[in-house]
Amino acid sequence: MLNKKSLVQSALALSVLLPATMNVAFANENSLTFGYLADEAPFSSLSQVTGQPSGYAIDLCKAVANSMDVKSSNIKFVPVTLDSGLQKLSNNEIDALCSAVTPTAERRQQASFSLPIFQGGVSAVLNQDAQQDLKRVLEGKPAHQGPKWRATVNRGLANHTYVVHKQTVTEAWVKEQVKRLGVIANVVAVDTHQQGLAMVSSGKADAYFAEVDSLSSEMTKGNYDNLELSGRVYQTALQSLALPRNNDDFRFAVDKALSDAYNSNGFAELYQGYFGHQHSEGLEAIKYFSLK
C-alpha cells in the first residue's frame, strides 16, 4: 500500500484535477458540513496524529466540495454515529454523511444515496485458538468430515457468541443467518470495531463479523497477534455516501463530482492506497457506475 505521504499527495491531486462547478446545494453561504463515522477506517476515522478526519470517503467528500467551489476553510466535519448521522441528514443539520453506507429500504426513508463509492463485503475475525468446527464452517467446509448437510453446518455454528457492529447491515445479516439455520447462538452488538475485536481476543466471543476492509484495517492498527481474518467474504453490498432526501440537484452534483473523480488520473492510486492492488475488480466496479 502507499505510505501516508503518498495518500495525502493523491488526495490533493484528486481535488485539483476535478473541475469546480456552481454550488447548487445550500443556502448556507457556500459552506459544507459533513458528518462522518470516526471508527470506520479505511473509509472514515479520526486521525490520532493530526486530530483531523481521514479516509477514503473523507477524500471523496473533499473532492466533492472542491467541485462545488467550496473553500477548505468552509468545510466542517462532524463526528456522528450511523443513526445520528442519518437523523441529522433528515433534519438538514449536515449536508452529507461521508462514510461508506449500505443503502437499505429503512435507511432510504431518512436519506438519499450517491453513486456507489465501494463494493464491500462481510467477513469475520476469529481467535487463532477457536474451535476447529467453527473455523471449518466459516471457511465454507462442513464441521467434520462426512456428508455435507445442514446439521454439520449447525454443529459448527451452534453454542457460540458472535459479535457484530451495532445498527449495521452486518448485524441484520448475522441475525438473519442464525434464525434461518435455527442455530442456538448468542449475538452481541457493540459500538466500535475495537470493542468487537477485544471480545474475540480475550475469549469472551468466538467471532466478530464486520466489513472486511474495516476489519483488515483495525487488525493492522491494533495489537491482535492472536486473531485471524477469515479468508471468506460471506455477503457483498455496494456502499455510498448518504445525502439529504428530496434534493435532486445536490445529488446530481455529488454524483457528477464522484464520476469525475473516478475517471481522473489520480483515482486509481488513491483507491489502491487505501485498499491495495488486490481490489482491482472493486475499482472497476465503482468506475462502471460513473455517469457517462
Side-chain angles (χ1 to χ4, degrees):
M1 289 190 178
L2 297 178
N3 59 37
K4 188 169 293 184
K5 181 178 179 181
S6 297
L7 279 176
V8 171
Q9 290 172 340
S10 297
L12 289 173
L14 185 62
S15 294
V16 170
L17 286 169
L18 292 183
T21 60
M22 181 178 64
N23 181 352
V24 297
F26 344 92
N28 55 355
E29 298 183 354
N30 210 27
S31 64
L32 280 166
T33 299
F34 292 135
Y36 74 99
L37 306 183
D39 68 332
E40 286 294 332
F43 303 100
S44 61
S45 63
L46 183 63
S47 171
Q48 300 302 312
V49 177
T50 66
Q52 299 297 317
S54 62
Y56 170 66
I58 299 296
D59 286 344
L60 288 181
C61 280
K62 289 179 179 178
V64 167
N66 182 74
S67 76
M68 296 179 179
D69 202 23
V70 178
K71 297 178 180 179
S72 58
S73 59
N74 289 337
I75 303 172
K76 182 179 180 180
F77 285 94
V78 179
V80 296
T81 65
L82 180 57
D83 273 4
S84 69
L86 293 174
Q87 187 62 50
K88 286 179 181 294
L89 277 174
S90 295
N91 296 338
N92 295 315
E93 296 176 46
I94 59 175
D95 298 302
L97 180 52
C98 295
S99 296
V101 183
T102 303
T104 64
E106 181 178 0
R107 290 172 184 170
R108 288 184 183 278
Q109 295 178 22
Q110 295 179 280
S112 181
F113 291 89
S114 71
L115 294 176
I117 65 168
F118 190 73
Q119 182 172 279
V122 176
S123 191
V125 165
L126 299 88
N127 195 297
Q128 292 178 352
D129 296 327
Q131 294 180 14
Q132 288 302 310
D133 282 358
L134 176 61
K135 285 188 175 183
R136 289 181 61 82
V137 169
L138 291 180
E139 291 172 359
K141 304 173 184 177
H144 61 86
Q145 297 298 327
K148 185 174 181 180
W149 56 300
R150 177 167 164 165
T152 68
V153 175
N154 290 9
R155 171 179 162 179
L157 293 175
N159 301 315
H160 292 295
T161 296
Y162 303 121
V163 189
V164 294
H165 204 183
K166 186 183 296 182
Q167 299 169 339
T168 62
V169 173
T170 302
E171 178 183 8
W173 180 81
V174 170
K175 289 181 176 179
E176 175 60 27
Q177 301 314 303
V178 168
K179 179 180 178 181
R180 181 177 66 85
L181 293 170
V183 173
I184 299 174
N186 185 28
V187 180
V188 178
V190 294
D191 292 315
T192 67
H193 293 304
Q194 291 90 339
Q195 290 173 349
L197 293 173
M199 287 186 67
V200 178
S201 180
S202 65
K204 295 180 180 179
D206 299 288
Y208 176 51
F209 290 85
E211 204 284 323
V212 61
D213 288 279
S214 293
L215 289 175
S216 179
S217 176
E218 291 296 330
M219 289 181 66
T220 300
K221 292 190 301 182
N223 184 22
Y224 300 113
D225 294 338
N226 64 330
L227 301 184
E228 58 186 45
L229 180 62
S230 170
R232 291 188 67 200
V233 174
Y234 308 108
Q235 179 88 342
T236 60
L238 293 170
Q239 297 170 307
S240 302
L241 305 177
L243 308 172
R245 293 185 66 193
N246 303 319
N247 194 333
D248 291 341
D249 288 342
F250 181 46
R251 187 178 63 196
F252 174 75
V254 171
D255 287 346
K256 180 63 169 61
L258 290 175
S259 297
D260 290 341
Y262 298 162
N263 293 304
S264 68
N265 292 331
F267 182 69
E269 184 178 11
L270 180 78
Y271 186 96
Q272 291 167 350
Y274 284 111
F275 305 111
H277 292 271
Q278 71 272 18
H279 266 278
S280 58
E281 290 185 4
L283 174 59
E284 292 306 313
I286 296 306
K287 285 187 174 183
Y288 172 80
F289 288 100
S290 63
L291 301 178
K292 304 301 189 289

